[in-house]
Amino acid sequence: MEGAAYDFGIYLAQQRRRSVHTVRAYRAAAERFTSFLHEHWGAEIDQRALSRVQAVDLRAYLASRVNGSATRSSGLSNASAARELSAVRAFLDWANGVGSTPAFKGPRVKKGVPRPVAPSEAVALATEVAEESDEAWVAARDWAVLLLLYGAGLRIGEALALTGAALPLGDTLVVTGKRAKTRVVPLLAEVRAAIEDYAGRVPWPLDRDQPLFRGVRGGGLSAGVVRVKVQRARGRLGLSDRTTPHALRHSFATHLLGRGADLRALQELLGHASLSSTQVYTQVDAAHLMDVYRNAHPRA
């Protein structure tokens, strides 16, 4: 079965028209699964072997991924494990026929998990949303939009208000926020690459005065469309119902602050009018605030 994962990737790319990142992720999951079965069963894995996969095998595989191993101390989060199961199911359906995968309820994140979502879950969410579409350019668009929210901290309205004038992209992006205030945000290389990939696929010209992110009929992409897609994806991944497009912006702020970002700089990145808005938004704990105070205040 050495070539099965590769052939599966070709099928996803050519017949299902999945995006490059989805093909890469699903093919890697197929390789991991067949390698696991080889060790789990102690036998070569061929087409006939895949037809014998049972729920207990899927459970054992996910357990190995979630719990980690002697060489990998930290395992997958529940959201990432759910996506891994989705990829394996697609692989088995491809190999044995649709509906052939044994019934098995994957891991779910407990209800009430507080925001922000973990970085791995943010990426899993964006990937799941992108994978939903059969249109390669739509998948690239969805991936780019959600990566922009998480990687640059934009509001969904700010992202969808961008026009073709933002192209060609540089290291920063000028964003128009509330009250028509503009700010400059840095663009990570991964975010810039995602937007450029979308721009190269979209079937409409991206004129300077036209929306950058287009709907399927060529008009501007609606925020409602993004929210519905995120809602469906978080259900499949077992994420909290508080996992919304705006939660990705919240995660951007919280993760930066947790890694030592300055509150004033974060305020500028988020486009907040006052520092108190930044403090409330990121749910900064009192201990961290005291550390910032002691390090910054001249009389601390």
Side-chain angles (χ1 to χ4, degrees):
M1 296 298 293
E2 291 181 358
Y6 177 80
D7 292 339
F8 176 53
I10 295 297
Y11 160 78
L12 290 175
Q14 296 184 353
Q15 297 189 38
R16 298 293 295 167
R17 302 176 68 183
R18 300 305 190 193
S19 63
V20 173
H21 60 269
T22 297
V23 172
R24 182 171 57 248
Y26 272 43
R27 185 170 59 198
E31 291 173 349
R32 287 190 293 266
F33 183 61
T34 52
S35 177
F36 167 81
L37 289 179
H38 175 69
E39 296 182 7
H40 185 57
W41 288 346
E44 294 299 322
I45 306 303
D46 55 15
Q47 188 83 15
R48 181 176 299 178
L50 288 178
S51 67
R52 298 198 305 268
V53 172
Q54 300 296 320
V56 65
D57 302 310
L58 293 176
R59 187 176 295 108
Y61 173 65
L62 285 186
S64 72
R65 296 286 292 150
V66 171
N67 297 329
S69 64
T71 57
R72 181 171 53 86
S73 58
S74 59
L76 297 180
S77 66
N78 278 5
S80 296
R83 174 150 187 87
E84 186 86 359
L85 178 60
S86 177
V88 169
R89 280 174 171 159
F91 175 58
L92 292 175
D93 283 347
W94 167 80
N96 302 323
V98 176
S100 61
T101 306
F104 174 69
K105 186 177 181 180
R108 295 183 65 85
V109 176
K110 293 181 179 180
K111 291 183 178 181
V113 174
R115 291 186 298 176
V117 296
S120 61
E121 292 175 343
V123 174
L125 179 70
T127 305
E128 186 71 14
V129 170
E131 193 273 336
E132 180 182 1
S133 178
D134 289 335
E135 292 286 339
W137 78 268
V138 174
R141 178 202 68 191
D142 294 344
W143 171 257
V145 168
L146 294 183
L147 232 60
L148 188 58
L149 302 186
Y150 178 64
L154 270 61
R155 301 176 178 93
I156 181 65
E158 292 171 345
L160 300 187
L162 293 172
T163 68
L167 301 175
L169 296 172
D171 294 331
T172 59
L173 184 67
V174 178
V175 178
T176 302
K178 292 183 177 180
R179 303 179 184 87
K181 291 178 60 178
T182 60
R183 67 183 188 276
V184 178
V185 298
L187 277 182
L188 297 174
E190 294 84 353
V191 177
R192 185 167 62 250
I195 298 174
E196 290 172 344
D197 179 57
Y198 154 74
R201 295 173 181 269
V202 63
W204 287 280
L206 298 177
D207 298 330
R208 291 183 58 84
D209 59 345
Q210 294 297 315
L212 175 61
F213 296 109
R214 302 295 186 87
V216 293
R217 297 188 179 183
L221 177 61
S222 166
V225 170
V226 179
R227 293 190 181 99
V228 169
K229 289 193 172 194
V230 168
Q231 182 179 16
R232 289 199 296 258
R234 77 187 182 211
R236 293 192 296 270
L237 293 175
L239 296 174
S240 165
D241 58 6
R242 289 178 291 177
T243 304
T244 63
H246 196 73
L248 295 177
R249 168 177 158 88
H250 180 95
S251 300
F252 162 85
T254 307
H255 296 159
L256 282 183
L257 195 61
R259 291 173 180 261
D262 177 75
L263 281 175
R264 287 292 182 186
L266 187 59
Q267 177 189 356
E268 292 295 325
L269 289 176
L270 293 173
H272 284 158
S274 66
L275 186 61
S276 61
S277 297
T278 308
Q279 293 170 348
V280 172
Y281 182 81
T282 55
Q283 300 178 358
V284 184
D285 62 273
H288 184 79
L289 278 176
M290 289 303 299
D291 287 340
V292 173
Y293 174 81
R294 281 190 290 267
N295 291 332
H297 198 283
R299 293 184 178 275

